[in-house]
Amino acid sequence: MSKISFSNSQALSGGGTTENPWKVLQQFTQARIGLGRAGVSIPTKELLEFQLSHAQAKDAVHQPLDIDKLQQDLEQLESTLLPKTVEVVQSRASDRFIYLQRPDLGRRLSKDSKTYIEEHYSGNQDMVCDLAIAVVDGLSSKAIETNTLPFLQALLDLMANETQQDWTLAPITIVKQGRVAIGDEIGELFNAKTVLVLVGERPGLSSPDSLGLYLTWNPHIGLTDAFRNCISNIRPEGLNYKEAAKRALFLLQESRRLKLSGVNLKDRSDEKVIEHSSDTGNFLVNTLDK
């Protein structure tokens, strides 16, 4: 039997893999487009890469966050704004299985964790801070392990260089088996004016390591997602750390100035704002001269 080789011309005549003309668009996206086909199926190479991505997404959900290493790394962050103490707390979901089955339990602190923060911080009437930062494992420990430190360092550097406003920060909190809304309870217990939640996002098949940010003014138990601002897909292949930190700082500044967050607070960090100085008091947001 003669050896069969698959050339593109043969493939087009039905002898093997057929290239897809849409493949040229792959340079613009990580989405699975233009994969070609082998007979009536996708090529083996593409199938194996799909299975690898699926496995990586599952690992991101189930792999436990290395709490001890993250705590040590956070304590080494270089910033005059940040207390060196890093607290570790637990949601009401006692393990990963319960966490996945009961999202409501991931939104509240366990009784022991709540009592600990109350005893060490909430009783101090002098402790009123501008910002509490909660690092939450969420649905991707990989996202937290990869992106938390470089993003926070970029944000803290920007905040420290601000000349118009001073910031006081509560100790960073690491939350095990947590979801976004748990930041409301943490912010309330720390008497924080604003809470910023860093959470591992639900993994996609091309992005198992996306970090998400949620900002809430006046955090307290019972708020809905309408009261939060979100910055998503922070990772080297997505929104880079410097740009994410710039957007986060803009939202923090505007939230403190306007005393609100969520649907009433728009991210205009990439717009040029011109304040009119005449007596008419008019102003405009200029988006035309980019």
Side-chain angles (χ1 to χ4, degrees):
M1 181 180 293
S2 61
K3 183 178 179 180
I4 300 176
S5 60
F6 296 106
S7 66
N8 194 47
S9 60
Q10 287 174 315
L12 292 173
S13 64
T17 302
T18 301
E19 295 293 338
N20 191 317
W22 295 99
K23 188 174 183 177
V24 65
L25 297 178
Q26 289 181 353
Q27 63 183 304
F28 301 112
T29 177
Q30 290 184 309
R32 286 181 164 79
I33 59 174
L35 303 182
R37 62 183 173 84
V40 296
S41 186
I42 64 175
T44 300
K45 175 178 178 295
E46 304 295 346
L47 176 62
L48 292 175
E49 289 186 352
F50 176 87
Q51 292 174 332
L52 174 61
S53 295
H54 186 244
Q56 290 174 330
K58 290 180 66 176
D59 286 348
V61 172
H62 293 286
Q63 181 175 335
L65 179 63
D66 189 341
I67 299 292
D68 292 339
K69 183 177 186 307
L70 179 62
Q71 185 177 17
Q72 293 173 6
D73 290 343
L74 289 174
E75 289 173 346
Q76 299 302 317
L77 278 174
E78 297 180 358
S79 175
T80 56
L81 299 176
L82 201 62
K84 289 302 179 184
T85 305
V86 176
E87 302 291 359
V88 179
V89 295
Q90 170 84 39
S91 77
R92 293 184 180 180
S94 57
D95 58 42
R96 201 59 170 172
F97 178 78
I98 295 177
Y99 171 81
L100 294 173
Q101 297 294 319
R102 292 286 305 273
D104 56 317
L105 298 182
R107 299 183 182 117
R108 294 294 304 275
L109 286 173
S110 68
K111 182 178 179 181
D112 289 345
S113 294
K114 180 181 179 182
T115 301
Y116 175 83
I117 296 180
E118 286 177 335
E119 291 178 347
H120 288 78
Y121 298 100
S122 300
N124 184 357
Q125 299 301 320
D126 296 331
M127 182 175 176
V128 178
C129 58
D130 296 309
L131 176 63
I133 297 175
V135 181
V136 182
D137 51 5
L139 287 167
S140 175
S141 58
K142 182 178 178 63
I144 296 298
E145 292 174 352
T146 304
N147 304 306
T148 296
L149 289 180
F151 165 75
L152 274 182
Q153 190 65 68
L155 177 62
L156 293 170
D157 288 346
L158 287 179
M159 295 176 72
N161 291 330
E162 267 202 294
T163 56
Q164 302 298 320
Q165 303 181 70
D166 294 325
W167 294 90
T168 56
L169 272 65
I172 290 181
T173 306
I174 301 174
V175 186
K176 296 188 285 187
Q177 313 293 2
R179 293 182 184 267
V180 172
I182 205 168
D184 296 338
E185 187 170 10
I186 291 172
E188 185 176 356
L189 289 171
F190 276 113
N191 297 322
K193 296 176 182 176
T194 311
V195 67
L196 187 65
V197 175
L198 284 63
V199 62
E201 294 180 341
R202 185 186 306 276
L205 287 176
S206 59
S207 56
D209 58 343
S210 285
L211 178 71
L213 305 183
Y214 290 83
L215 178 149
T216 308
W217 169 261
N218 187 25
H220 56 274
I221 297 172
L223 293 178
T224 68
D225 289 343
F227 291 88
R228 314 186 208 287
N229 289 86
C230 177
I231 301 174
S232 184
N233 197 29
I234 301 170
R235 60 194 183 103
E237 295 79 14
L239 184 64
N240 66 60
Y241 305 128
K242 184 177 180 181
E243 181 63 24
K246 174 186 168 186
R247 293 188 184 188
L249 180 60
F250 175 85
L251 289 174
L252 286 169
Q253 292 169 328
E254 288 299 280
S255 181
R256 185 157 78 166
R257 183 174 72 88
L258 300 172
K259 303 186 186 308
L260 52 80
S261 61
V263 295
N264 294 318
L265 179 62
K266 304 302 180 186
D267 179 7
R268 288 173 169 160
S269 56
D270 58 349
E271 294 179 350
K272 295 180 180 178
V273 180
I274 299 176
E275 300 287 349
H276 199 292
S277 58
S278 70
D279 294 336
T280 62
N282 292 328
F283 72 93
L284 57 88
V285 178
N286 184 7
T287 60
L288 302 178
D289 60 345
K290 293 180 178 179

